[in-house]
Every structure is written in structure tokens, then in C-alpha cells.
Amino acid sequence: MAILPQWFPGRTRDSEGRARATRRQKLPLVAPGERDAHPDDEWLITNQSGSFAMGTVDRIPRRKYHSLLTVREPGVGEPLNLLAELEDWFILGNETVALHNFDWGNSVEPDGASHLVEFDPQPCWTYRFAGLEVTRALTIEPEADAVWVRYTVRGVTEPIQLRLRPLLRSRPIHDLTVANPFLNGAVTIDDQRPHLEARLRPYEGLPPIIMSLHGAAGWFSADGHWYRGVHYAWERQRGYEDAEDLFTPGEVGLHITDDTTFAMRLGTTPSPLSTTADIAGVTEARQSFTHELERAADAYLVELGGGRAGVIAGYPWFGEWSRDALIALPGLCLARGKVEEAVGILESLSQRRENGLVPNIPQSGDVEANTNAIDASLLFVWATALTAKKTRSRRVSALEEASIELVEALLDGADPRVSIDDEGFLFVEQGPWALTWMDAMTDAGPVTPRCGYAVDLNALWLSALRTTAGWAATLRPEIVPRLEETATKLADHFEERFWLQDQGFLTDTHDGIEPDGRLRPNQLWALVLPDLPIRDAHKRAALEAVRNKLLTPVGLRTLSSDDPQYRGTYAGSQAERDLAYHQGTVWPWLLGLYAEAVRTIDGPDAARDELLPILTGLWVHFRTEGCIGQLSEVFDGDPPHRPGGAPAQAWSVAEALRIAMIAER
């Protein structure tokens, strides 16, 4: 296990250190007919292990997570943010032009975006200055933790010098650091390779950083020093420390006398000897929304240590989350015919159960398991049932056995916070925990306390009882009577417990004495899971209530806007955002459940007619705002539904892809 250095905390800044507002000049996108990009729109590229690069159109890092390379090292713990940026300085006679940008708190310098004339979210930048046209394209290697920065320079009429300066972080993803004496900035030049290669290991126990120049001759000049006080405006807005120092070991220099193309590779491993700058070319063509969503979905399916399949819940700050992986699995895998991948993900989660149950966050390296997710075990059974319909693989039988064990563990009280009552209902005890996907917590406790009987948990619980009873008839006949008896009792009382006759929908929770009466989207599970004992008329009424009060062009609100506790804006400090997270904030992933409900209750044609306008709204977001080519985690409950949360989220993409496929049928 790697030993991480002791990190220095970021320095506190007063109000005078606040970054000035970025100019909202417009930068044209390549694709015609779309709105212009804004400087703070984001881009994201990933590889097969979930390592990534991420930033903004104007190259000002506004998050501490923006990076040229963040690696997700299996078995070590949190991802490591290794590289902040590769500065590019063009020297033309007495004139120096830089293409990058940094926020220094009271100024943005050197303002390279003033030369930016075109941006393609693959990502590729086009700059024009002094008669030159320079394109800068960024790619990440699929199977190695390395990025390629490819430059094409046209219009050269006199000699130019180019200086490329890497800026290093080499820190855990959530931390900030300041200049410290522990960093080793010594650089070694490898003279045995056909291209310039320089390497250093900033901290013992962490990966090395290896830089190489391809397609051009150059040299490395060592002059290690710190850049002090780089600011991240969005971290300040989110209530976090917002400034840190970056280290540069030196610069790569080269002379340019003619139009040329070359590339810098920066990673944790040496480049293959046969590799050329062509590896970083940008050749992908734009396709339909469904095809682009499929491409976006690939960012979340990863292979982790030991060949283990996994799902990254979101970029940049999420890792593996069981609940997210299971909800996303139908869209990421099953709808795309990636059944073997689905089986691998389920096997990985099954192997890392805690106290017999699926944890919220599985243990990985020095990251301890988080067990606050009673719904994860129920979602595992649901996802296994969907996967079993797609394959006859013998591996599925083991997953069915694991599902039976999960249900048996719940019946036997594996989680002391959860019990099964005499009528078969799953009951969550009151306490300082949140065991469903509405899991925001503050110092006062859960923001959305869903103790007692939660409608989604009990819908999934009844479905799990009936599903595992069918599998147990072959695999474990002795347990079938217990499963069937519990399911029968629960089915006999389900609608009576949750249906609100006066309001015309299913209550979200019930404390055993009276319902809470809140209109939330969690009832959709009861409308879409097969064989739940709810009258058709009640299903139609509940769907209409959801449609009228919760549906928006980009997802479903988590609480009706006429509820006294509704919060229409997701913004502010961590505590302010937590108070809004599930109290009205819109979540795109809920559209998948909604689409299934419309298709089940109103029919496929009605689903197609209703979904197409929604897909149009998501398409606009996908192509023109936030992290371009991805879908955000959440949106404001109030129009115009500004995006927020993680700018790229697995279950948002997965469920949008699934409903796009439904609409195409």
C-alpha cells in the first residue's frame, strides 16, 4: 500500500482574494446549429480504468478536480490528481504569446483564451495569433494512465520557439497543497530512447511522472519552482478552500521553422517505442444522440485491480458506489448488449458484501466500506433478475444464490437499523442515518429522514421476495415457504399502507401511525416493478400526480414545488446544497423510472410521444452546457433548471440512454 505524504492545508483567503468574474465571451462550437460555448463549459475524457482529464473551454481550472491527468490507482485508495496543466508559451521575436490561463484571485493571467477562436468538445482548441493557427487536441490512452497533447502549427513564416511547462499536483483528489519541502523535483533524462523523455517521482510511494516529446526534436531545461496561489472559483462558491500551489520541474523547449505537428505525452509509464504523435489525432465524427450517449457511457465502465469490473458513479469526485452502479447497470450494460460486463459488475459487488449485505461504497484498498444503503441489496436482486433474462451463463446462478442470501440476511436482521414487521414490511428505525438514495446529511441529521416504511424500499423488498422465491425453488427449496409467506403478507397490506385516497398518489413514507403525505418520485418503483398489488386506477392517478408536479424538461423533482420544504435552487455552501439535494432538486436518472411507468401504464406509443420532447431538453444540455458530451448529476428545481452537482454522472447518462432506446422502438 502506498504511503501518502502529509498534505499542507490550503490557505484561507479573505474577500479581496475572490476571483474576478470571467468574461462571458462566446466561443464557437464545431457543430453547426448549436449555441456558442461559454468559457466555463467543461469537457471530460476517461480511460478504461476510470482515470481522466477534465477542464474548461478557456482552460482556467475552476475546480480542484480539473486536471490534465487524474489516475484511479486500484488498491491504493482515493484517486490521485497528478497533473494540473501543460503551459504553452510561443515566442515570436520579441513577442510572447501564452495559450493557457490561471485565476490568481484578483486577476486571470496570461489570458490565453483571448486567442481562442474555436472549441470542439472532444476536446480540441483552435487559436489564432500573429498570423499563426494552432490547434491543441487532447486524448487519453485507453489502457494506460497517460495523456497526449497534440499540437498542429500552421502559417509559420519565421522561426518560433515553443516552451511547454508541466505543472504538477501529485496529491489525493479531494485535497489541496501548498509549497512544501517533501516534493522531490529532480528530473532524469532517458538518453536511450528515440525521443526526448524526462521523468521524476515527486513523492515516494506515488506514481512517477514521465514526459516525452514525439514528432519533433527538443530539449528539457530544469528550473524547478512553485507557482503560488492558484485559485479555484467554484470551490469557493461551494464553501471549500480554494487556493493551492503547483510545482513545475522545468520546461520542454523546441524550435519551429515550418508548419508541423507534434505531441507531448505525460503519464505514469514510458511511451511505447512504436508510438507516434498520430495516436492523439481527433477523428471521431458526430453521431445521433443515442450513439453519443453510448460513447459517454463508456466513461463509467472500468476495469479495476485484478481485472475486477466496476462502475465509476461520476466525475470528477465520485468513485465506486453500489447503488449508483446497480441503477445505472441496465442502461450502461444490458440495453447495449454488454451482458458479460453486467455479470462482472454484479460479481464484484457480491464478493464485497459487508455483514451479508451490499454496502453503499464497497471496500477498496484503504477506502473503508460505507454501509448506509439498505436499498443497495434490494437493487442487487433487481439488477440480477434483469441480467438473468439476458443470458444463460452459469455465472448467473451464483448471483441468484447471492440474491437469496441477501434476502435471508435482511429477514435475519443483518442490519440492526432495519427490521421486518409482522406484516412483512421492511421498517427503518429512526436515527442519525440515511439508508436510501436520499442520503444527504447535515450536523442535525438526515435532511430527508425516510425512517419507518419507505415506499420504494418496500416495493423493492416485495419484488425481491417474489423473485428469490422463484430461484429458491431450484437452488434452496427449504427457504421458499418463508419467502412466500412474507411476500403474501406484505402484498395483502401494501396498497392499504401507502395509498393516499384524498391526494391520489402513494405516500413516500409511513411511520406506522400515519403517512407523511409528501409527493416524491420514489413511488415510481411501485408503479414499474411487476406484480405489485396496486389497482390500475391508482397507478394512473399516481403517474398523473408525478407528471403534473415533479416532471421537468431535464428530470424529476425530488419534492413537489408546492410543499413547504421545497427548495428550488441547488447552490451555496455544502450545508445549503445538502438541504436542497433531495428537497426539490431535479435528478435526470429518475426519468428512466418515469419512462417505464408511462410505458407500463399508458403504453409504448404514449411513452414515445412524451419522451421525445424530454430527450430534446437533455440533448441541448448534453451538447451545449456543463460538461459537454456528458449529463450532469442534478438541476435546479426551478426554471431554467441550471445544472449542478457532479458535471458527469453515470446514472444520468445510463437512464437517458435507456429512454432514448425506448423512444426509438
Side-chain angles (χ1 to χ4, degrees):
M1 182 182 302
I3 305 300
L4 301 183
Q6 180 67 44
W7 300 97
F8 286 74
R11 292 165 291 182
T12 302
R13 302 282 175 165
D14 60 24
S15 59
E16 294 304 314
R18 188 180 302 274
R20 73 181 186 188
T22 304
R23 298 191 309 276
R24 297 290 288 180
Q25 74 267 28
K26 294 184 176 182
L27 307 170
L29 285 169
V30 168
E34 298 173 0
R35 81 150 173 84
D36 294 332
H38 285 302
D40 56 3
D41 285 341
E42 293 175 277
W43 54 266
L44 168 71
I45 54 174
T46 68
N47 70 7
Q48 294 175 5
S49 64
S51 298
F52 65 93
M54 187 179 194
T56 58
V57 170
D58 62 8
R59 295 175 60 189
I60 297 176
R62 292 175 172 82
R63 303 184 194 274
K64 60 187 175 184
Y65 305 101
H66 286 159
S67 73
L68 194 63
L69 181 62
T70 294
V71 302
R72 198 177 301 273
E73 282 203 304
V76 173
E78 293 288 357
L80 301 173
N81 189 319
L82 295 186
L83 290 162
E85 177 61 286
L86 180 66
E87 291 188 334
D88 24 35
W89 299 87
F90 286 79
I91 303 171
L92 308 92
N94 294 324
E95 182 182 7
T96 299
V97 175
L99 305 185
H100 53 280
N101 292 276
F102 283 106
D103 177 356
W104 301 99
N106 55 11
S107 66
V108 173
E109 296 176 3
D111 198 18
S114 63
H115 307 294
L116 182 59
V117 296
E118 196 171 85
F119 174 76
D120 185 296
Q122 297 199 14
C124 181
W125 296 258
T126 300
Y127 301 89
R128 292 196 185 105
F129 56 92
L132 298 178
E133 180 175 280
V134 178
T135 61
R136 177 185 186 269
L138 186 65
T139 58
I140 189 168
E141 289 189 26
E143 298 180 356
D145 289 332
V147 292
W148 288 75
V149 187
R150 178 179 184 264
Y151 292 90
T152 298
V153 184
R154 298 186 180 92
V156 178
T157 58
E158 58 181 305
I160 300 169
Q161 281 197 28
L162 175 59
R163 305 296 174 88
L164 301 173
R165 181 177 290 276
L167 298 179
L168 314 184
R169 291 192 179 109
S170 291
R171 58 161 168 80
I173 187 172
H174 302 298
D175 295 344
L176 293 175
T177 191
V178 297
N180 66 85
F182 301 103
L183 187 143
N184 181 357
V187 177
T188 301
I189 305 299
D190 188 342
D191 297 326
Q192 304 304 309
R193 301 180 72 83
H195 48 255
L196 174 68
E197 183 166 288
R199 61 180 65 197
L200 72 160
R201 188 182 293 274
Y203 299 101
E204 285 298 322
L206 297 188
I209 294 174
I210 302 174
M211 305 167 285
S212 53
L213 179 65
H214 301 262
W219 65 91
F220 183 83
S221 298
D223 64 351
H225 61 276
W226 290 88
Y227 281 29
R228 298 176 183 268
V230 173
H231 281 242
Y232 308 125
W234 292 350
E235 298 306 323
R236 175 172 286 251
Q237 293 172 12
R238 286 161 49 83
Y240 298 127
E241 293 290 341
D242 70 315
E244 74 172 334
D245 300 337
L246 307 176
F247 181 78
T248 176
E251 63 184 18
V252 172
L254 60 157
H255 291 296
I256 299 174
T257 57
D258 298 292
D259 291 2
T260 185
T261 295
F262 60 91
M264 276 284 292
R265 181 187 188 271
L266 303 100
T268 61
T269 58
S271 62
L273 291 177
S274 60
T275 300
T276 70
D278 292 338
I279 191 172
V282 179
T283 59
E284 293 181 273
R286 295 184 181 277
Q287 299 173 307
S288 71
F289 190 26
T290 301
H291 287 136
E292 292 203 33
L293 283 169
E294 287 202 65
R295 186 174 63 183
D298 287 336
Y300 305 99
L301 294 174
V302 298
E303 183 176 314
L304 302 172
R308 178 168 51 82
V311 173
I312 300 303
Y315 292 94
W317 51 74
F318 282 96
E320 285 189 279
W321 287 57
S322 301
R323 177 192 295 122
D324 297 55
L326 293 164
I327 288 174
L329 186 142
L332 293 183
C333 298
L334 300 180
R336 305 167 65 202
K338 294 180 176 289
V339 181
E340 288 298 303
E341 287 86 341
V343 172
I345 291 165
L346 291 168
E347 287 174 337
S348 176
L349 294 177
S350 175
Q351 292 162 5
R352 291 183 288 170
R353 282 175 278 175
E354 298 282 338
N355 299 322
L357 301 176
V358 177
N360 182 26
I361 301 175
Q363 188 273 337
S364 178
D366 60 1
V367 177
E368 296 183 358
N370 177 312
T371 59
N372 292 327
I374 203 65
D375 53 348
S377 295
L378 304 175
L379 289 165
F380 182 94
V381 180
W382 169 75
T384 297
L386 294 177
T387 304
K389 294 178 180 179
K390 299 284 187 177
T391 179
R392 296 182 179 273
S393 170
R394 293 182 179 179
R395 295 161 65 191
V396 173
S397 179
L399 297 174
E400 293 172 348
E401 290 185 14
S403 297
I404 296 170
E405 292 169 0
L406 287 170
V407 170
E408 191 174 25
L410 287 169
L411 286 168
D412 291 340
D415 190 324
R417 299 166 296 184
V418 179
S419 60
I420 310 302
D421 74 4
D422 293 339
E423 293 179 339
F425 283 94
L426 188 150
F427 185 89
V428 177
E429 301 291 340
Q430 186 173 1
W433 46 71
L435 306 185
T436 76
W437 80 280
M438 291 186 166
D439 56 358
M441 299 282 292
T442 66
D443 292 341
V447 176
T448 312
R450 304 191 69 233
C451 51
Y453 305 102
V455 64
D456 50 335
L457 292 185
N458 279 282
L460 286 162
W461 172 234
L462 178 53
S463 176
L465 287 166
R466 285 178 164 164
T467 299
T468 54
W471 294 333
T474 301
L475 299 172
R476 290 188 53 196
E478 74 280 1
I479 198 176
V480 172
R482 186 184 189 192
L483 299 177
E484 290 183 339
E485 179 184 0
T486 307
T488 298
K489 290 189 297 183
L490 175 54
D492 288 344
H493 298 283
F494 190 94
E495 189 173 38
E496 173 188 348
R497 172 65 45 87
F498 293 110
W499 179 250
L500 299 173
Q501 183 61 40
D502 292 341
Q503 290 96 321
F505 56 81
L506 296 165
T507 189
D508 191 60
T509 62
H510 197 298
D511 65 5
I513 300 174
E514 59 184 20
D516 74 349
R518 300 194 187 282
L519 176 60
R520 294 191 186 274
N522 300 305
Q523 63 188 297
L524 289 170
W525 285 106
L527 305 185
V528 303
L529 291 170
D531 303 323
L532 257 74
I534 301 173
R535 282 172 258 182
D536 288 345
H538 290 174
K539 287 185 177 181
R540 292 184 183 279
L543 177 60
E544 191 63 21
V546 170
R547 178 181 287 125
N548 291 337
K549 295 290 188 178
L550 303 182
L551 182 64
T552 77
V554 288
L556 270 67
R557 294 186 179 96
T558 41
L559 183 64
S560 174
S561 58
D562 56 14
D563 191 285
Q565 294 188 13
Y566 172 80
R567 288 179 177 246
T569 302
Y570 179 77
S573 67
Q574 178 72 59
E576 290 171 323
R577 297 195 311 278
D578 284 341
L579 291 171
Y581 209 31
H582 303 108
Q583 297 290 77
T585 296
V586 170
W587 292 72
W589 80 262
L590 292 165
L591 285 169
L593 283 176
Y594 180 79
E596 290 288 354
V598 175
R599 187 171 65 166
T600 300
I601 296 168
D602 294 340
D605 291 341
R608 188 178 302 108
D609 292 343
E610 187 168 357
L611 293 175
L612 285 174
I614 294 172
L615 287 170
T616 299
L618 290 176
W619 166 264
V620 172
H621 166 67
F622 181 88
R623 294 295 294 274
T624 65
E625 67 180 10
C627 183
I628 300 174
Q630 289 289 344
L631 293 177
S632 294
E633 178 187 12
V634 296
F635 294 82
D636 285 347
D638 290 343
H641 307 298
R642 180 187 57 86
Q649 197 76 2
W651 56 13
S652 298
V653 170
E655 290 296 78
L657 176 56
R658 200 161 65 88
I659 66 173
M661 290 181 169
I662 291 173
E664 288 180 352
R665 292 173 189 168

